Amino acid sequence: MSIRRLYRLRIKRFLFSLIFSLILLFLIVVLSLSIGSSEYGFLDVLRLFHHDFLSVFGINSSRPEGYDRIALIVYSIRFPRTLVALLAGAGLGIAGVLIQAITRNPLAEPFLLGLSSTSLTVVGASILLVPGLLYVRAYIVLVAFLGALLGFSLTMSLSELAGGSALTLILAGIAVSSAFSGLAHIIAFLVQVKFNTPFLILLLGSFSNVLKSDIFPMIISLLIGFTASIILSKALNAILYGDEYASQLGYNPRHIRRLSALFSALLTGVTVAIAGIIGFVGLVVPHIARFLVGSDHRIVVPLSAVIGGLVLLLADIIARILSYSTGISGIPVGAITSMIGAPFFAYLLVKRMRGT
Amino acid sequence: MKLRVANIEFYYDSTLALRNIVFETSEGELTSIIGPNGAGKTTLLKVIARLLKPRKGVVYVDGVDLWRLSPREVAKKIAYSSTYVSEGFNTTVLDYLLTARYPHARLLSLIDREEDLGVIENVLSKLDISHLADRRLDQLSSGELQRVLIARLLVQEPKVLLIDEPTAHLDLRYQLESMELLREITLRENLVTIITTHKLWIAAKYSDKTILLDKGRIVAIGSPEEVITPENIVSTYRVKIKVYRDPQLGLIVVPLEPV
Protein backbone atom coordinates (compact mmCIF):
# COMPACT_ATOMS: atom_id res chain seq x y z
CA MET A 1 0.00 0.00 0.00
CA SER A 2 1.31 3.43 -0.79
CA ILE A 3 2.25 5.73 2.08
CA ARG A 4 -0.33 8.30 1.10
CA ARG A 5 -3.14 5.74 1.15
CA LEU A 6 -1.94 4.38 4.46
CA TYR A 7 -1.83 7.89 5.82
CA ARG A 8 -5.30 8.79 4.58
CA LEU A 9 -6.54 5.57 6.13
CA ARG A 10 -5.27 6.53 9.55
CA ILE A 11 -6.81 10.00 9.29
CA LYS A 12 -10.11 8.36 8.38
CA ARG A 13 -9.78 5.97 11.28
CA PHE A 14 -9.17 8.87 13.63
CA LEU A 15 -12.16 10.87 12.37
CA PHE A 16 -14.37 7.81 12.51
CA SER A 17 -13.28 6.96 16.06
CA LEU A 18 -13.68 10.57 17.15
CA ILE A 19 -17.16 10.96 15.70
CA PHE A 20 -18.26 7.59 16.97
CA SER A 21 -17.04 8.32 20.50
CA LEU A 22 -18.60 11.79 20.44
CA ILE A 23 -21.98 10.31 19.52
CA LEU A 24 -21.57 7.73 22.24
CA LEU A 25 -20.58 10.49 24.63
CA PHE A 26 -23.72 12.46 23.80
CA LEU A 27 -25.91 9.44 24.48
CA ILE A 28 -24.14 8.76 27.75
CA VAL A 29 -24.52 12.40 28.78
CA VAL A 30 -28.27 12.16 28.15
CA LEU A 31 -28.31 8.89 30.06
CA SER A 32 -26.42 10.50 32.91
CA LEU A 33 -28.89 13.38 32.99
CA SER A 34 -31.74 10.86 33.11
CA ILE A 35 -30.63 9.23 36.34
CA GLY A 36 -31.63 10.69 39.66
CA SER A 37 -34.03 10.42 42.55
CA SER A 38 -36.86 12.18 40.68
CA GLU A 39 -38.85 10.32 38.07
CA TYR A 40 -37.69 12.03 34.86
CA GLY A 41 -36.02 9.59 32.54
CA PHE A 42 -34.11 9.29 29.27
CA LEU A 43 -36.97 10.36 26.97
CA ASP A 44 -37.90 13.37 29.08
CA VAL A 45 -34.32 14.60 28.85
CA LEU A 46 -34.18 13.98 25.10
CA ARG A 47 -37.46 15.89 24.64
CA LEU A 48 -36.18 18.74 26.77
CA PHE A 49 -32.97 18.87 24.71
CA HIS A 50 -34.89 18.75 21.46
CA HIS A 51 -37.15 21.59 22.57
CA ASP A 52 -34.34 23.78 23.92
CA PHE A 53 -32.21 23.11 20.87
CA LEU A 54 -35.00 24.36 18.61
CA SER A 55 -35.62 27.42 20.77
CA VAL A 56 -32.00 28.44 20.30
CA PHE A 57 -33.01 29.02 16.68
CA GLY A 58 -36.18 30.88 17.67
CA ILE A 59 -38.59 28.01 17.07
CA ASN A 60 -41.12 27.30 19.89
CA SER A 61 -40.01 29.93 22.31
CA SER A 62 -41.83 28.91 25.48
CA ARG A 63 -41.47 25.59 27.26
CA PRO A 64 -44.59 23.39 27.42
CA GLU A 65 -46.09 22.69 30.80
CA GLY A 66 -43.98 20.67 33.19
CA TYR A 67 -40.76 21.34 31.30
CA ASP A 68 -39.62 24.00 33.72
CA ARG A 69 -39.39 21.48 36.51
CA ILE A 70 -37.55 18.99 34.32
CA ALA A 71 -35.26 21.78 33.20
CA LEU A 72 -34.55 22.80 36.78
CA ILE A 73 -33.66 19.27 37.84
CA VAL A 74 -31.71 18.41 34.73
CA TYR A 75 -29.76 21.63 34.37
CA SER A 76 -29.21 22.64 37.97
CA ILE A 77 -28.98 19.35 39.80
CA ARG A 78 -27.87 16.64 37.40
CA PHE A 79 -25.91 18.69 34.91
CA PRO A 80 -23.01 19.89 37.13
CA ARG A 81 -22.24 16.36 38.26
CA THR A 82 -22.38 15.06 34.70
CA LEU A 83 -20.19 17.79 33.32
CA VAL A 84 -17.61 17.54 36.10
CA ALA A 85 -17.38 13.77 35.71
CA LEU A 86 -16.91 14.21 31.98
CA LEU A 87 -14.22 16.87 32.37
CA ALA A 88 -12.44 14.88 35.09
CA GLY A 89 -12.39 11.82 32.86
CA ALA A 90 -11.01 13.81 29.95
CA GLY A 91 -8.31 15.26 32.19
CA LEU A 92 -7.33 11.91 33.69
CA GLY A 93 -7.20 10.38 30.22
CA ILE A 94 -4.81 13.05 28.99
CA ALA A 95 -2.77 12.87 32.20
CA GLY A 96 -2.38 9.15 31.57
CA VAL A 97 -1.24 9.74 28.00
CA LEU A 98 1.38 12.26 29.15
CA ILE A 99 2.72 10.09 31.96
CA GLN A 100 2.90 6.96 29.83
CA ALA A 101 4.78 8.80 27.11
CA ILE A 102 7.39 10.49 29.28
CA THR A 103 8.08 7.37 31.31
CA ARG A 104 7.86 5.30 28.10
CA ASN A 105 5.88 2.89 30.24
CA PRO A 106 2.39 1.78 29.17
CA LEU A 107 1.67 0.62 32.71
CA ALA A 108 2.04 4.09 34.20
CA GLU A 109 -0.83 6.35 35.24
CA PRO A 110 -1.39 9.15 37.80
CA PHE A 111 -2.99 7.02 40.50
CA LEU A 112 -0.53 4.11 40.24
CA LEU A 113 2.42 6.49 40.34
CA GLY A 114 1.21 8.05 43.56
CA LEU A 115 0.13 11.44 42.22
CA SER A 116 -3.44 11.16 43.49
CA SER A 117 -2.78 10.11 47.08
CA THR A 118 0.03 12.65 47.59
CA SER A 119 -2.25 15.28 46.12
CA LEU A 120 -5.09 14.45 48.51
CA THR A 121 -2.68 14.29 51.46
CA VAL A 122 -1.33 17.72 50.69
CA VAL A 123 -4.86 19.11 50.22
CA GLY A 124 -5.98 17.69 53.56
CA ALA A 125 -2.84 18.85 55.35
CA SER A 126 -3.17 22.36 53.98
CA ILE A 127 -6.81 22.52 55.11
CA LEU A 128 -5.75 21.47 58.60
CA LEU A 129 -3.05 24.13 58.61
CA VAL A 130 -5.13 26.92 57.06
CA PRO A 131 -8.81 26.09 57.67
CA GLY A 132 -9.98 29.03 55.57
CA LEU A 133 -8.70 27.24 52.48
CA LEU A 134 -11.53 24.74 52.55
CA TYR A 135 -13.85 27.24 50.90
CA VAL A 136 -11.44 28.72 48.38
CA ARG A 137 -11.56 26.42 45.36
CA ALA A 138 -8.68 28.04 43.52
CA TYR A 139 -6.31 27.42 46.43
CA ILE A 140 -7.46 23.87 46.88
CA VAL A 141 -6.83 23.21 43.20
CA LEU A 142 -3.41 24.85 43.36
CA VAL A 143 -2.42 22.87 46.44
CA ALA A 144 -3.71 19.65 44.88
CA PHE A 145 -1.63 20.36 41.79
CA LEU A 146 1.51 20.90 43.87
CA GLY A 147 0.76 17.71 45.78
CA ALA A 148 0.44 15.70 42.58
CA LEU A 149 3.71 17.17 41.37
CA LEU A 150 5.36 16.14 44.64
CA GLY A 151 4.03 12.61 44.21
CA PHE A 152 5.38 12.35 40.70
CA SER A 153 8.84 13.60 41.65
CA LEU A 154 9.01 11.25 44.64
CA THR A 155 8.07 8.24 42.53
CA MET A 156 10.47 9.18 39.74
CA SER A 157 13.39 9.70 42.13
CA LEU A 158 12.67 6.48 43.99
CA SER A 159 12.44 4.58 40.72
CA GLU A 160 15.73 6.08 39.51
CA LEU A 161 17.38 5.09 42.81
CA ALA A 162 16.18 1.54 42.28
CA GLY A 163 17.63 1.33 38.79
CA GLY A 164 14.96 3.01 36.69
CA SER A 165 13.23 0.20 34.81
CA ALA A 166 9.58 -0.17 33.82
CA LEU A 167 9.02 -2.39 36.81
CA THR A 168 10.82 -0.22 39.39
CA LEU A 169 8.65 2.70 38.29
CA ILE A 170 5.48 0.79 39.12
CA LEU A 171 6.91 -0.52 42.40
CA ALA A 172 8.10 2.94 43.40
CA GLY A 173 4.62 4.21 42.58
CA ILE A 174 3.11 1.58 44.87
CA ALA A 175 5.50 2.57 47.67
CA VAL A 176 4.71 6.27 47.35
CA SER A 177 0.96 5.84 46.91
CA SER A 178 0.72 3.39 49.83
CA ALA A 179 2.63 5.66 52.16
CA PHE A 180 0.59 8.70 51.22
CA SER A 181 -2.64 6.77 51.13
CA GLY A 182 -2.09 5.90 54.80
CA LEU A 183 -1.33 9.50 55.59
CA ALA A 184 -4.31 10.69 53.54
CA HIS A 185 -6.65 8.44 55.54
CA ILE A 186 -5.55 9.92 58.87
CA ILE A 187 -5.71 13.45 57.56
CA ALA A 188 -9.09 12.88 55.92
CA PHE A 189 -10.51 11.67 59.23
CA LEU A 190 -9.17 14.74 60.98
CA VAL A 191 -10.56 17.11 58.36
CA GLN A 192 -13.97 15.45 58.33
CA VAL A 193 -14.30 15.46 62.11
CA LYS A 194 -12.84 18.88 62.69
CA PHE A 195 -14.74 20.74 59.98
CA ASN A 196 -17.78 18.52 59.73
CA THR A 197 -17.52 18.37 55.97
CA PRO A 198 -17.61 15.31 53.67
CA PHE A 199 -13.92 14.63 53.09
CA LEU A 200 -13.45 10.90 53.69
CA ILE A 201 -15.38 10.16 50.52
CA LEU A 202 -12.56 11.80 48.54
CA LEU A 203 -10.36 8.81 49.43
CA LEU A 204 -12.54 6.72 47.16
CA GLY A 205 -13.41 9.31 44.57
CA SER A 206 -16.95 10.58 44.20
CA PHE A 207 -18.96 13.15 42.32
CA SER A 208 -21.79 13.17 44.88
CA ASN A 209 -20.76 16.47 46.39
CA VAL A 210 -19.95 18.30 43.19
CA LEU A 211 -21.13 21.90 43.03
CA LYS A 212 -21.84 24.19 40.12
CA SER A 213 -18.80 26.24 41.15
CA ASP A 214 -16.56 23.21 40.48
CA ILE A 215 -17.22 23.43 36.76
CA PHE A 216 -15.13 26.53 36.18
CA PRO A 217 -11.79 25.29 37.62
CA MET A 218 -12.29 21.97 35.83
CA ILE A 219 -12.82 23.67 32.47
CA ILE A 220 -9.87 25.99 32.89
CA SER A 221 -7.44 23.23 33.91
CA LEU A 222 -8.64 20.96 31.15
CA LEU A 223 -8.26 23.70 28.56
CA ILE A 224 -4.71 24.42 29.73
CA GLY A 225 -3.79 20.75 29.96
CA PHE A 226 -5.34 19.84 26.64
CA THR A 227 -3.76 22.72 24.71
CA ALA A 228 -0.37 22.03 26.22
CA SER A 229 -0.60 18.32 25.42
CA ILE A 230 -1.51 19.04 21.82
CA ILE A 231 1.45 21.40 21.52
CA LEU A 232 3.69 18.77 23.13
CA SER A 233 2.27 15.91 21.06
CA LYS A 234 5.03 15.80 18.44
CA ALA A 235 7.74 15.96 21.08
CA LEU A 236 6.01 13.10 22.91
CA ASN A 237 6.04 11.08 19.70
CA ALA A 238 9.78 11.66 19.43
CA ILE A 239 10.46 10.80 23.07
CA LEU A 240 8.90 7.35 22.62
CA TYR A 241 12.06 6.39 20.72
CA GLY A 242 14.38 7.46 23.50
CA ASP A 243 15.84 10.65 24.89
CA GLU A 244 18.79 10.51 22.54
CA TYR A 245 16.49 10.25 19.57
CA ALA A 246 14.40 13.21 20.73
CA SER A 247 17.58 15.25 21.27
CA GLN A 248 18.95 14.50 17.86
CA LEU A 249 15.65 15.73 16.38
CA GLY A 250 16.19 19.02 18.18
CA TYR A 251 13.98 18.53 21.25
CA ASN A 252 15.14 18.89 24.81
CA PRO A 253 13.86 15.73 26.50
CA ARG A 254 14.33 17.13 30.00
CA HIS A 255 12.13 20.12 29.23
CA ILE A 256 9.53 17.95 27.55
CA ARG A 257 9.44 15.63 30.53
CA ARG A 258 9.15 18.46 33.07
CA LEU A 259 6.42 20.23 31.15
CA SER A 260 4.45 17.03 30.67
CA ALA A 261 4.80 16.15 34.35
CA LEU A 262 3.55 19.64 35.21
CA PHE A 263 0.44 19.36 33.08
CA SER A 264 -0.40 15.82 34.12
CA ALA A 265 -0.09 16.95 37.74
CA LEU A 266 -2.45 19.84 37.02
CA LEU A 267 -5.03 17.58 35.39
CA THR A 268 -4.76 15.00 38.16
CA GLY A 269 -4.69 17.59 40.94
CA VAL A 270 -7.84 19.40 39.89
CA THR A 271 -9.76 16.12 39.84
CA VAL A 272 -8.42 15.14 43.26
CA ALA A 273 -9.38 18.55 44.63
CA ILE A 274 -12.96 18.23 43.42
CA ALA A 275 -13.74 14.53 43.31
CA GLY A 276 -10.90 12.80 45.16
CA ILE A 277 -8.83 9.78 44.15
CA ILE A 278 -10.03 8.09 40.99
CA GLY A 279 -7.68 5.37 39.78
CA PHE A 280 -7.09 3.55 36.51
CA VAL A 281 -8.91 5.94 34.16
CA GLY A 282 -5.49 7.30 33.15
CA LEU A 283 -4.31 3.76 32.53
CA VAL A 284 -7.21 2.34 30.55
CA VAL A 285 -8.08 5.32 28.37
CA PRO A 286 -4.76 5.76 26.49
CA HIS A 287 -4.78 2.04 25.73
CA ILE A 288 -8.25 2.22 24.22
CA ALA A 289 -7.24 5.27 22.18
CA ARG A 290 -4.04 3.65 20.92
CA PHE A 291 -5.91 0.46 20.13
CA LEU A 292 -8.28 2.48 17.94
CA VAL A 293 -5.91 4.88 16.16
CA GLY A 294 -2.30 3.88 16.84
CA SER A 295 0.39 5.68 18.77
CA ASP A 296 0.55 9.19 17.26
CA HIS A 297 -0.04 11.62 20.14
CA ARG A 298 -1.46 14.26 17.83
CA ILE A 299 -4.55 12.07 17.56
CA VAL A 300 -4.21 10.03 20.75
CA VAL A 301 -4.51 13.16 22.94
CA PRO A 302 -7.87 14.45 21.60
CA LEU A 303 -9.31 10.96 21.36
CA SER A 304 -8.21 10.15 24.91
CA ALA A 305 -9.96 13.29 26.14
CA VAL A 306 -13.27 12.14 24.62
CA ILE A 307 -12.86 8.50 25.66
CA GLY A 308 -11.78 9.59 29.14
CA GLY A 309 -14.97 11.59 29.56
CA LEU A 310 -16.95 8.66 28.25
CA VAL A 311 -15.34 6.09 30.53
CA LEU A 312 -15.54 8.09 33.74
CA LEU A 313 -19.09 9.24 33.11
CA LEU A 314 -20.09 5.66 32.45
CA ALA A 315 -18.40 4.59 35.69
CA ASP A 316 -20.29 7.30 37.55
CA ILE A 317 -23.57 6.17 35.99
CA ILE A 318 -22.86 2.63 37.14
CA ALA A 319 -22.09 3.95 40.63
CA ARG A 320 -25.35 5.89 40.70
CA ILE A 321 -27.46 3.03 39.36
CA LEU A 322 -25.92 0.75 41.99
CA SER A 323 -26.70 3.34 44.65
CA TYR A 324 -30.32 3.77 43.61
CA SER A 325 -30.98 0.09 43.10
CA THR A 326 -29.38 -1.07 46.34
CA GLY A 327 -30.50 1.85 48.43
CA ILE A 328 -26.94 2.39 49.60
CA SER A 329 -26.47 6.03 48.79
CA GLY A 330 -23.19 7.44 47.52
CA ILE A 331 -21.35 4.37 46.19
CA PRO A 332 -18.05 6.00 45.12
CA VAL A 333 -17.09 6.12 41.46
CA GLY A 334 -13.47 5.31 42.38
CA ALA A 335 -14.60 1.87 43.48
CA ILE A 336 -16.10 1.25 40.05
CA THR A 337 -13.02 2.44 38.13
CA SER A 338 -10.78 0.26 40.30
CA MET A 339 -12.99 -2.77 39.78
CA ILE A 340 -12.76 -2.34 36.03
CA GLY A 341 -9.24 -0.91 35.82
CA ALA A 342 -7.31 -3.22 38.12
CA PRO A 343 -8.02 -6.40 36.12
CA PHE A 344 -7.01 -4.51 33.00
CA PHE A 345 -3.78 -3.51 34.73
CA ALA A 346 -3.18 -7.15 35.64
CA TYR A 347 -3.71 -8.12 32.02
CA LEU A 348 -1.23 -5.49 30.78
CA LEU A 349 1.28 -6.53 33.43
CA VAL A 350 1.20 -10.16 32.38
CA LYS A 351 1.30 -9.26 28.70
CA ARG A 352 4.26 -6.93 29.14
CA MET A 353 6.32 -9.01 31.53
CA ARG A 354 5.96 -12.08 29.36
CA GLY A 355 6.97 -9.97 26.42
CA THR A 356 4.17 -11.01 24.09
CA MET B 1 29.80 20.13 1.78
CA LYS B 2 32.52 19.51 4.31
CA LEU B 3 32.68 18.37 7.89
CA ARG B 4 35.64 19.64 9.85
CA VAL B 5 36.43 18.57 13.38
CA ALA B 6 38.91 20.97 14.96
CA ASN B 7 40.77 20.26 18.16
CA ILE B 8 38.01 18.57 20.08
CA GLU B 9 38.57 17.95 23.73
CA PHE B 10 35.88 16.26 25.79
CA TYR B 11 35.62 15.16 29.40
CA TYR B 12 33.06 13.04 31.22
CA ASP B 13 33.07 14.94 34.53
CA SER B 14 36.84 15.16 34.96
CA THR B 15 37.81 12.05 33.02
CA LEU B 16 39.40 12.77 29.69
CA ALA B 17 37.44 11.08 26.91
CA LEU B 18 38.64 12.81 23.74
CA ARG B 19 41.69 14.92 23.14
CA ASN B 20 43.07 16.83 20.24
CA ILE B 21 40.73 15.34 17.66
CA VAL B 22 41.34 16.87 14.26
CA PHE B 23 40.07 15.60 10.94
CA GLU B 24 38.11 16.54 7.90
CA THR B 25 35.82 14.63 5.62
CA SER B 26 33.80 15.62 2.59
CA GLU B 27 30.67 14.55 0.75
CA GLY B 28 30.47 11.12 -0.77
CA GLU B 29 33.00 9.84 1.73
CA LEU B 30 32.44 7.02 4.17
CA THR B 31 34.61 7.25 7.25
CA SER B 32 35.03 4.46 9.80
CA ILE B 33 36.10 5.08 13.34
CA ILE B 34 37.81 2.03 14.83
CA GLY B 35 39.55 1.42 18.11
CA PRO B 36 39.35 -0.82 21.19
CA ASN B 37 36.54 -0.60 23.76
CA GLY B 38 36.61 2.69 25.62
CA ALA B 39 38.65 4.44 22.93
CA GLY B 40 36.01 7.15 22.59
CA LYS B 41 34.38 6.14 19.30
CA THR B 42 30.77 6.67 20.34
CA THR B 43 31.67 9.77 22.32
CA LEU B 44 33.23 11.30 19.24
CA LEU B 45 30.16 10.50 17.19
CA LYS B 46 27.95 12.14 19.80
CA VAL B 47 30.10 15.24 19.91
CA ILE B 48 29.75 15.55 16.14
CA ALA B 49 25.99 15.00 16.50
CA ARG B 50 25.89 17.90 19.00
CA LEU B 51 24.53 15.57 21.65
CA LEU B 52 27.59 16.23 23.80
CA LYS B 53 29.23 19.61 24.17
CA PRO B 54 33.02 19.51 23.93
CA ARG B 55 35.05 21.47 26.44
CA LYS B 56 37.31 22.68 23.68
CA GLY B 57 37.25 22.67 19.91
CA VAL B 58 34.68 23.16 17.22
CA VAL B 59 32.77 21.01 14.77
CA TYR B 60 32.20 22.86 11.51
CA VAL B 61 29.55 21.82 9.01
CA ASP B 62 30.15 23.74 5.81
CA GLY B 63 32.19 26.22 7.79
CA VAL B 64 29.50 26.84 10.40
CA ASP B 65 30.12 26.07 14.07
CA LEU B 66 27.51 23.51 15.17
CA TRP B 67 27.01 25.16 18.54
CA ARG B 68 26.03 28.39 16.84
CA LEU B 69 23.06 26.62 15.29
CA SER B 70 19.80 25.76 17.05
CA PRO B 71 19.18 22.07 17.79
CA ARG B 72 16.49 22.03 15.12
CA GLU B 73 18.80 23.48 12.50
CA VAL B 74 21.38 20.86 13.40
CA ALA B 75 18.72 18.16 13.04
CA LYS B 76 18.21 19.22 9.43
CA LYS B 77 21.92 18.78 8.71
CA ILE B 78 22.94 15.86 10.88
CA ALA B 79 21.19 12.56 11.57
CA TYR B 80 22.51 10.38 14.36
CA SER B 81 21.57 6.72 14.68
CA SER B 82 19.66 5.83 17.77
CA THR B 83 18.28 2.37 18.11
CA TYR B 84 15.97 2.39 21.10
CA VAL B 85 12.38 1.29 20.51
CA SER B 86 9.77 1.47 23.30
CA GLU B 87 7.60 -1.54 23.72
CA GLY B 88 3.90 -1.51 24.42
CA PHE B 89 2.99 1.59 22.43
CA ASN B 90 2.21 -0.16 19.14
CA THR B 91 4.40 2.26 17.20
CA THR B 92 4.59 1.45 13.51
CA VAL B 93 7.30 2.07 10.93
CA LEU B 94 5.25 4.95 9.52
CA ASP B 95 4.86 6.53 12.98
CA TYR B 96 8.61 6.36 13.43
CA LEU B 97 9.46 7.77 10.02
CA LEU B 98 6.99 10.64 10.40
CA THR B 99 8.88 11.84 13.49
CA ALA B 100 12.05 12.14 11.40
CA ARG B 101 10.34 14.88 9.37
CA TYR B 102 9.66 17.06 12.42
CA PRO B 103 12.85 19.15 12.08
CA HIS B 104 11.67 20.19 8.62
CA ALA B 105 8.17 21.25 9.69
CA ARG B 106 7.39 24.54 11.36
CA LEU B 107 7.82 24.35 15.11
CA LEU B 108 4.18 24.40 16.20
CA SER B 109 2.64 22.94 13.08
CA LEU B 110 0.77 19.71 13.77
CA ILE B 111 0.17 18.48 10.26
CA ASP B 112 2.39 16.37 8.04
CA ARG B 113 2.85 17.95 4.67
CA GLU B 114 2.42 16.25 1.33
CA GLU B 115 6.15 16.68 0.87
CA ASP B 116 6.91 14.73 4.06
CA LEU B 117 4.86 11.78 2.86
CA GLY B 118 6.64 12.01 -0.49
CA VAL B 119 10.07 11.78 1.12
CA ILE B 120 9.01 8.77 3.18
CA GLU B 121 7.54 7.07 0.16
CA ASN B 122 10.76 7.59 -1.82
CA VAL B 123 13.08 6.38 0.89
CA LEU B 124 10.99 3.28 1.55
CA SER B 125 10.92 2.31 -2.08
CA LYS B 126 14.64 3.01 -2.49
CA LEU B 127 15.41 0.69 0.41
CA ASP B 128 12.84 -1.76 -0.86
CA ILE B 129 10.86 -1.85 2.37
CA SER B 130 7.57 -0.19 1.37
CA HIS B 131 5.76 -3.30 2.53
CA LEU B 132 6.93 -2.68 6.12
CA ALA B 133 5.25 0.75 6.48
CA ASP B 134 2.30 -0.46 8.52
CA ARG B 135 4.22 -3.02 10.57
CA ARG B 136 4.85 -2.58 14.27
CA LEU B 137 8.47 -1.77 15.09
CA ASP B 138 8.68 -4.32 17.89
CA GLN B 139 7.66 -7.09 15.51
CA LEU B 140 10.37 -6.55 12.89
CA SER B 141 13.29 -8.92 12.47
CA SER B 142 16.73 -7.43 13.21
CA GLY B 143 17.48 -7.19 9.52
CA GLU B 144 14.21 -5.37 8.82
CA LEU B 145 14.73 -3.14 11.83
CA GLN B 146 18.22 -2.20 10.62
CA ARG B 147 16.78 -1.14 7.27
CA VAL B 148 14.06 0.86 8.99
CA LEU B 149 16.67 2.59 11.15
CA ILE B 150 18.63 3.54 8.04
CA ALA B 151 15.40 4.65 6.37
CA ARG B 152 14.76 6.98 9.30
CA LEU B 153 18.20 8.56 8.90
CA LEU B 154 17.46 9.22 5.24
CA VAL B 155 13.94 10.51 5.83
CA GLN B 156 15.50 13.18 8.00
CA GLU B 157 17.30 14.32 4.81
CA PRO B 158 20.58 15.18 6.50
CA LYS B 159 23.88 16.05 4.93
CA VAL B 160 25.84 14.17 7.57
CA LEU B 161 25.04 10.62 8.61
CA LEU B 162 26.43 9.38 11.93
CA ILE B 163 25.91 5.71 12.68
CA ASP B 164 27.07 3.91 15.78
CA GLU B 165 27.79 0.25 15.01
CA PRO B 166 25.63 -0.21 11.92
CA THR B 167 26.34 -3.94 11.87
CA ALA B 168 25.80 -4.80 15.53
CA HIS B 169 23.48 -7.77 16.16
CA LEU B 170 23.24 -8.60 12.48
CA ASP B 171 24.13 -11.86 10.79
CA LEU B 172 26.73 -11.89 8.06
CA ARG B 173 24.35 -11.34 5.22
CA TYR B 174 22.67 -8.35 6.86
CA GLN B 175 26.06 -6.91 7.82
CA LEU B 176 27.06 -6.91 4.19
CA GLU B 177 23.69 -5.66 3.03
CA SER B 178 23.67 -2.77 5.48
CA MET B 179 27.18 -1.70 4.55
CA GLU B 180 26.55 -1.95 0.81
CA LEU B 181 23.47 0.16 1.34
CA LEU B 182 25.36 2.76 3.34
CA ARG B 183 28.13 3.00 0.76
CA GLU B 184 25.63 3.32 -2.03
CA ILE B 185 23.54 6.06 -0.44
CA THR B 186 26.63 7.95 0.70
CA LEU B 187 27.65 8.22 -2.94
CA ARG B 188 24.22 8.70 -4.41
CA GLU B 189 23.01 11.32 -1.94
CA ASN B 190 26.43 12.88 -1.57
CA LEU B 191 26.49 12.46 2.17
CA VAL B 192 29.22 12.69 4.73
CA THR B 193 28.91 9.33 6.46
CA ILE B 194 30.75 8.39 9.62
CA ILE B 195 30.34 5.04 11.32
CA THR B 196 31.95 3.34 14.29
CA THR B 197 32.73 -0.33 14.10
CA HIS B 198 34.42 -3.15 15.99
CA LYS B 199 35.01 -5.09 12.81
CA LEU B 200 38.29 -4.30 11.11
CA TRP B 201 37.20 -6.07 7.94
CA ILE B 202 34.21 -3.75 7.63
CA ALA B 203 36.42 -0.70 7.94
CA ALA B 204 38.87 -2.25 5.46
CA LYS B 205 36.24 -3.19 2.92
CA TYR B 206 33.93 -0.20 2.98
CA SER B 207 35.61 2.96 4.18
CA ASP B 208 37.27 5.70 2.20
CA LYS B 209 38.85 6.99 5.35
CA THR B 210 39.64 5.20 8.59
CA ILE B 211 40.30 6.78 11.95
CA LEU B 212 41.98 4.71 14.64
CA LEU B 213 41.20 5.97 18.12
CA ASP B 214 42.82 4.89 21.34
CA LYS B 215 42.36 6.39 24.80
CA GLY B 216 40.60 9.37 23.32
CA ARG B 217 43.28 10.25 20.79
CA ILE B 218 43.68 9.70 17.09
CA VAL B 219 46.49 7.19 16.62
CA ALA B 220 46.26 6.98 12.87
CA ILE B 221 44.12 8.45 10.14
CA GLY B 222 44.04 7.85 6.40
CA SER B 223 43.01 5.17 3.95
CA PRO B 224 42.27 1.72 5.42
CA GLU B 225 45.61 0.47 4.05
CA GLU B 226 47.49 3.20 5.88
CA VAL B 227 45.66 2.78 9.17
CA ILE B 228 44.98 -0.94 9.54
CA THR B 229 48.57 -2.12 9.83
CA PRO B 230 49.92 -4.84 12.16
CA GLU B 231 51.92 -2.20 14.07
CA ASN B 232 48.94 0.12 14.65
CA ILE B 233 46.62 -2.69 15.65
CA VAL B 234 49.02 -4.37 18.05
CA SER B 235 49.75 -1.12 19.83
CA THR B 236 46.07 -0.24 20.32
CA TYR B 237 44.03 -3.46 20.38
CA ARG B 238 46.96 -5.55 21.67
CA VAL B 239 46.15 -8.11 19.04
CA LYS B 240 48.41 -9.52 16.37
CA ILE B 241 46.98 -9.36 12.89
CA LYS B 242 48.13 -10.22 9.43
CA VAL B 243 47.21 -8.01 6.50
CA TYR B 244 47.16 -9.02 2.83
CA ARG B 245 46.66 -6.85 -0.16
CA ASP B 246 44.79 -8.63 -2.87
CA PRO B 247 44.44 -6.94 -6.25
CA GLN B 248 40.81 -8.07 -6.53
CA LEU B 249 39.61 -8.30 -2.95
CA GLY B 250 41.47 -5.29 -1.59
CA LEU B 251 42.61 -5.33 2.00
CA ILE B 252 42.30 -8.64 3.84
CA VAL B 253 42.65 -8.56 7.61
CA VAL B 254 43.25 -11.75 9.58
CA PRO B 255 43.30 -11.52 13.39
CA LEU B 256 45.87 -13.92 14.87
CA GLU B 257 46.10 -13.76 18.67
CA PRO B 258 46.02 -11.41 21.65
CA VAL B 259 49.40 -10.35 22.98
Side-chain angles (χ1 to χ4, degrees), chain A residues 276-345:
Chain A
I277 298 175
I278 298 171
F280 298 102
V281 175
L283 176 77
V284 175
V285 169
H287 282 274
I288 300 177
R290 281 197 295 266
F291 173 75
L292 290 172
V293 297
S295 72
D296 195 327
H297 287 98
R298 290 172 289 182
I299 56 186
V300 166
V301 168
L303 193 61
S304 293
V306 178
I307 293 177
L310 201 84
V311 164
L312 190 51
L313 193 52
L314 202 59
D316 189 45
I317 290 173
I318 295 174
R320 271 183 285 159
I321 290 177
L322 275 180
S323 296
Y324 291 125
S325 56
T326 56
I328 308 162
S329 72
I331 289 178
V333 66
I336 308 295
T337 61
S338 295
M339 264 164 44
I340 300 167
F344 184 73
F345 175 69

Side-chain angles (χ1 to χ4, degrees), chain A residues 115-125 184 187-188 199 202-203 272 276-277:
Chain A
L115 276 74
S116 311
S117 45
T118 32
S119 177
L120 191 62
T121 305
V122 172
V123 168
I187 289 175
F199 200 84
L202 296 183
L203 288 167
V272 169
I277 298 175

Side-chain angles (χ1 to χ4, degrees), chain A residues 342-352:
Chain A
F344 184 73
F345 175 69
Y347 160 75
L348 287 177
L349 188 69
V350 171
K351 193 174 140 189
R352 181 165 170 85

